Amino acid sequence: MTDKLYNDPSLVEFYDIENGWTADSDYLNTMASGRTSILDLGCGTGLLAVALAQKGGKRVVGVDPAAAMLDVARQRPGGDRVRWVEGDGRTIRLEETFDLVLLSGHAFQVFLTRADQLAALKTIAAHLSPQGHFIFDSRNPGVEEWKEWSPAESERVIVHPGLGEVLAWNDVRHDPGTGVVEYDTFYRIAADDSTCSAQSKIAFPSYEDLVSMMEEAGLVVEQWLGGWDGRRFDATAPEIIPIGRLGVPPVSPPR
């Protein structure tokens, strides 16, 4: 499904207003210190990728499947320091490796099936240098955060620099069979009382699901965080954040 939230330029305008620089950005900005090459897989509008590139001496590549998001990234001040690539995180192969491969903003959750998630993990492995590390975040399904995305609980007022005051809210449906959450995002513009909306789908793989895929993808997790404050993962943690590296290839027995 083509998600208008990321592909419709009029909706992409709201992305940085709603998300912006958050705790994950702070953590990843610190983690990137000392790295010379970074792949931001699912870079969106490029806020983080540009910040990392501006630290100097780093090769930074931002990949995203949404052309409208990349248009914003290219026009961002400092955007010329990043190489932007339109591509699918399941299949893209850049034929180069990086000290750090990251997916932030719960980008991993757009991969809806186990096959898609495994393909994305294999993309991470394909782009890791021998000493490189990866990190990404996915919401813990045990916390059931989607229950907070009802219209009553999610209603909020934001200010758009060109459109003025905007009333925003979400609505949500959860499929317990697949674990996929489908949610709607609405923006009602006060100036003309018009409303624009988008429908999105995301998956909530469990900790056990992720563990089972890592070895198959050729990855080893060194630590599991439960939040961007550095807490360890447990069943009550809001996030599942694996940090790891390439697995060690099996040694062939002597002949």
Side-chain angles (χ1 to χ4, degrees):
M1 182 178 70
T2 300
D3 192 330
K4 288 173 60 180
L5 202 60
Y6 310 121
N7 291 276
D8 184 331
S10 63
L11 288 165
V12 169
E13 290 181 7
F14 292 100
Y15 184 82
D16 286 344
I17 300 172
E18 290 267 62
N19 299 282
W21 190 274
T22 52
D24 59 340
S25 307
D26 283 329
Y27 190 100
L28 294 167
N29 192 42
T30 300
M31 186 175 179
S33 297
R35 315 278 176 167
T36 60
S37 54
I38 301 168
L39 173 60
D40 188 347
L41 193 60
C43 63
T45 60
L47 182 64
L48 176 61
V50 168
L52 298 178
Q54 287 178 330
K55 299 181 90 167
K58 299 185 187 300
R59 171 171 56 94
V60 180
V61 177
V63 173
D64 202 277
M69 301 285 271
L70 292 175
D71 286 343
V72 174
R74 292 187 182 99
Q75 296 168 25
R76 186 179 295 282
D80 56 343
R81 300 188 180 197
V82 179
R83 179 157 63 92
W84 306 106
V85 179
E86 185 177 339
D88 188 320
R90 297 167 295 183
T91 57
I92 192 165
R93 294 295 184 270
L94 299 173
E95 307 304 327
E96 56 186 305
T97 60
F98 300 83
D99 296 337
L100 179 63
V101 177
L102 64 91
L103 292 86
S104 62
H106 306 112
F108 187 79
Q109 291 184 249
V110 304
F111 304 115
L112 300 181
T113 67
R114 187 185 192 279
D116 288 343
Q117 293 156 11
L118 182 59
L121 293 175
K122 289 182 176 180
T123 293
I124 291 173
H127 294 93
L128 275 174
S129 65
Q131 305 303 318
H133 282 81
F134 72 88
I135 181 171
F136 65 87
D137 57 349
S138 188
R139 297 176 184 88
N140 180 7
V143 177
E144 299 183 328
E145 184 183 324
W146 61 82
K147 290 184 175 180
E148 301 174 6
W149 303 349
S150 66
E153 293 196 53
S154 64
E155 187 175 288
R156 57 206 180 271
V157 175
I158 62 176
V159 178
H160 186 285
L163 301 173
E165 191 172 282
V166 176
L167 178 66
W169 72 94
N170 299 101
D171 203 355
V172 66
R173 295 157 298 284
H174 172 241
D175 183 343
T178 64
V180 170
V181 168
E182 184 176 341
Y183 66 95
D184 303 312
T185 305
F186 299 90
Y187 296 107
R188 181 176 295 156
I189 301 163
D192 60 8
D193 202 33
S194 63
T195 301
C196 51
S197 64
Q199 185 181 90
S200 309
K201 289 183 178 181
I202 56 174
F204 281 73
S206 68
Y207 167 77
E208 292 77 13
D209 293 334
L210 293 170
V211 168
S212 72
M213 287 186 280
M214 290 296 174
E215 183 176 359
E216 190 174 351
L219 299 169
V220 171
V221 178
E222 296 179 326
Q223 58 179 318
W224 295 89
L225 301 183
W228 291 109
D229 55 3
R231 75 182 75 175
R232 293 191 178 191
F233 174 77
D234 63 31
T236 65
E239 305 280 353
I240 308 173
I241 305 172
I243 304 174
R245 55 174 173 78
L246 280 174
V248 178
V251 177
S252 299
R255 296 187 177 182

